[in-house]
Amino acid sequence: MSTQRSTPSPAPRRSSATLQQVADAAGVSLATASRVLNGSARIVNAELSEHVREVATRLRYVSHGPAQALARATTSLVGLLVHDVNDPYFSAIAAGAMRVARERDLLVMVANTYREPVLELDYITRLGAQRARAILVAGSPPVDPALAEPLRERLLDYQQGGGRVVTIGDQGPEIDAVLPANVQGAREAALHLTGLGHREIGMVVGPRGLVTIADRSEGFRRGLTESAGDPVVVHEIEGAFTRDGGYDATRRLLAEHPGVTAVFAMADVMAIGALAALREAGRRVPADVSLVGFDDLPICADLMPALTTVRVDTEGMGEQAMRMVVESPAEDAEGEGRTVVHSATELIVRGSTAPAA
């Protein structure tokens, strides 16, 4: 009688660890782990390097992207990633960045990411393959770590491989950034409305998954807690970060909470839609409902009434970020690259706000 020998089933393959998991397990920063594993020109202590490599081997870490193959960038190409080039906020950032790039004889390639993290990752990889000199990321990172961490790791891989990275919005402690003072600006908007006597206020917010929205929401609520007088009731309605998103959200706000006497829109493009919805509902601005936006786009002064808003120097942020691109990255005492420039905000009071009736 013959016997048939069974072939053992192959052991299931374990998925490789992320760079952040290696850094955590080794007890080092993400930047240090990347320098050891992705071939940075910066030297890491030999004993520490060996420790990080042992941890990486144990966790089966596999490097992402073309970081090791990316030598010091030799092209004049700079990639500029924006969420939506049709949004005046990002158009202004791009205008400022390209003005500086022209002075430095750099070629800027603008990529529209549509706020899709997977598309951002793809563009970073492609720019690395094109040996781009630098990548400038303009836009709020996701709040969800599962979406934010892969983007941060890909940027860090590119940076440690020799590319230059600057972001408008905070992508992590190892990456140079220009940060608008979103919390402070929204706080000033809240204090302005409560100072006018408004006690039932609607917040028209963008997608809650973005850090920018979280910061502006936090700042506005912080201002409400600091205000004097009677308690304030806040109704928060989410919409798309567009004119139509602001219009739809405001219509829902008025239907569900008709007693609101003021509306704070998280972006001027949303405030423009909110203004249309208020007029359609027969609410006079500011006699019946006061309206405040955020960003101070050029069109705000030409609206009827002119929009009270929080001014952010968007073109200036683009200019500053591009200047940082062509400069050497800063290093702190531990050798971690990090320069942060805070772009101040200013409340611009115009005709769309008035004392509560």
Side-chain angles (χ1 to χ4, degrees), residues 21-54:
Q21 289 171 329
V22 173
D24 291 343
V28 299
S29 70
L30 186 62
T32 297
S34 184
R35 286 175 189 143
V36 172
L37 300 173
N38 293 329
S40 171
R42 299 182 186 179
I43 299 174
V44 178
N45 175 276
E47 183 178 348
L48 183 59
S49 295
E50 181 62 26
H51 171 62
V52 172
R53 290 192 182 93
E54 288 177 356

Side-chain angles (χ1 to χ4, degrees), residues 239-323:
F241 230 155
T242 62
R243 180 267 179 201
D244 291 344
Y247 172 82
D248 292 337
T250 304
R251 288 189 63 189
R252 284 185 281 126
L253 173 68
L254 296 175
E256 298 172 17
H257 309 285
V260 296
T261 63
V263 174
F264 172 53
M266 290 284 172
D268 286 342
V269 290
M270 300 185 79
I272 293 170
L275 182 60
L278 289 166
R279 285 176 175 165
E280 185 179 279
R283 303 293 185 90
R284 297 169 299 167
V285 177
D288 300 323
V289 179
S290 287
L291 178 63
V292 177
F294 204 113
D295 293 330
D296 194 29
L297 301 177
I299 194 175
C300 293
D302 298 324
L303 298 173
M304 292 295 291
L307 183 66
T308 295
T309 185
V310 178
R311 174 175 291 169
V312 178
D313 184 7
T314 47
E315 284 199 26
M317 289 196 299
E319 290 178 356
Q320 180 62 52
M322 188 60 74
R323 289 193 188 98

Side-chain angles (χ1 to χ4, degrees), residues 71-82:
R72 291 289 174 186
T74 56
T75 71
S76 61
L77 175 64
V78 175
L80 172 57
L81 307 186
V82 298

Side-chain angles (χ1 to χ4, degrees), residues 80-95 115 138-140 314:
L80 172 57
L81 307 186
V82 298
H83 284 174
D84 184 358
V85 74
N86 289 321
D87 186 329
Y89 176 85
F90 293 107
S91 298
I93 287 175
R115 297 186 174 88
S140 174
T314 47

